[in-house]
Amino acid sequence: MCKVLIYKEKKIRKFRIRIAVYGRNEIGLYKEKKYSIIGYFNKEDLEKIGVLIYLIKDHTDKELVLDDNINWSKDWFNLPSSKKVMEKYNLISFSFFDEKYLLELYEKDGNGFSASEKKWGTYYFETKPTEKKLGEKILELFERKEKEEGIE
């Protein structure tokens, strides 16, 4: 199973998105890879977001290159702690397994993220979505979450 994590800055216009690959290391633990794609987007950039998600998924190798000493909040977000990342970003994962495609919106859970329990927090695609459809659904889930949080 391959999982792509999409972090979106809690902003309406000119928001920052980080796209990273997540998988298992040699002993079976889930870890993020050492690289990701970071960009600034607007709502009109739906297809670009989908293209970048498929790009990082398709060009990822099977083996994870991990560094347990990495300070991901500082290195990827320029923030001092995981808690600050949670305050400024929302997270969605896009998973692929057995020809099934799943989007999961993550909720703040203490000092980390966990999968949402809400009905609109998960979305299944019957077939592989186009880049535009994937970008639309991702931004729709982020938009719902931000409205709930009072970000307009």
Side-chain angles (χ1 to χ4, degrees):
M1 176 176 70
C2 179
K3 191 180 273 195
V4 175
L5 301 178
I6 305 115
Y7 294 87
K8 181 190 172 287
E9 189 174 22
K10 295 180 183 180
K11 281 184 171 179
I12 301 302
R13 287 178 218 55
K14 201 74 170 153
F15 46 84
R16 185 175 193 248
I17 287 186
R18 176 181 174 244
I19 303 168
V21 176
Y22 188 77
R24 291 184 185 262
N25 65 6
E26 63 278 352
I27 61 171
L29 298 175
Y30 282 104
K31 289 285 198 168
E32 279 188 34
K33 290 215 177 203
K34 277 179 84 171
Y35 59 86
S36 63
I37 296 173
I38 298 172
Y40 290 87
F41 300 95
N42 286 309
K43 286 185 180 182
E44 298 79 37
D45 299 326
L46 302 171
E47 193 167 358
K48 289 179 190 174
I49 294 168
V51 166
L52 291 174
I53 289 169
Y54 283 132
L55 179 77
I56 199 166
K57 175 215 169 272
D58 293 341
H59 288 87
T60 202
D61 54 353
K62 299 288 181 223
E63 233 175 89
L64 292 171
V65 179
L66 303 171
D67 181 2
D68 290 329
N69 298 322
I70 194 167
N71 182 349
W72 72 278
S73 60
K74 184 69 173 160
D75 292 349
W76 296 115
F77 298 97
N78 199 26
L79 294 169
S81 67
S82 299
K83 187 175 180 181
K84 290 288 185 191
V85 172
M86 288 182 9
E87 290 171 3
K88 295 183 180 279
Y89 288 82
N90 282 317
L91 171 64
I92 287 180
S93 73
F94 182 50
S95 307
F96 333 87
F97 53 94
D98 297 333
E99 297 300 317
K100 295 178 184 160
Y101 302 86
L102 169 68
L103 281 175
E104 287 181 288
L105 177 65
Y106 282 69
E107 296 281 333
K108 185 177 175 183
D109 182 15
N111 287 329
F113 289 107
S114 64
S116 176
E117 299 280 327
K118 296 186 173 77
K119 287 185 180 182
W120 54 262
T122 303
Y123 186 82
Y124 290 94
F125 293 98
E126 297 297 321
T127 59
K128 183 177 179 181
T130 64
E131 288 91 353
K132 186 173 183 178
K133 180 72 174 164
L134 179 59
E136 282 174 2
K137 195 44 98 171
I138 286 171
L139 287 185
E140 179 186 315
L141 288 174
F142 278 134
E143 211 170 82
R144 285 185 190 172
K145 175 78 169 97
E146 289 168 356
K147 280 184 181 174
E148 183 183 282
E149 293 175 342
I151 301 166
E152 297 282 340

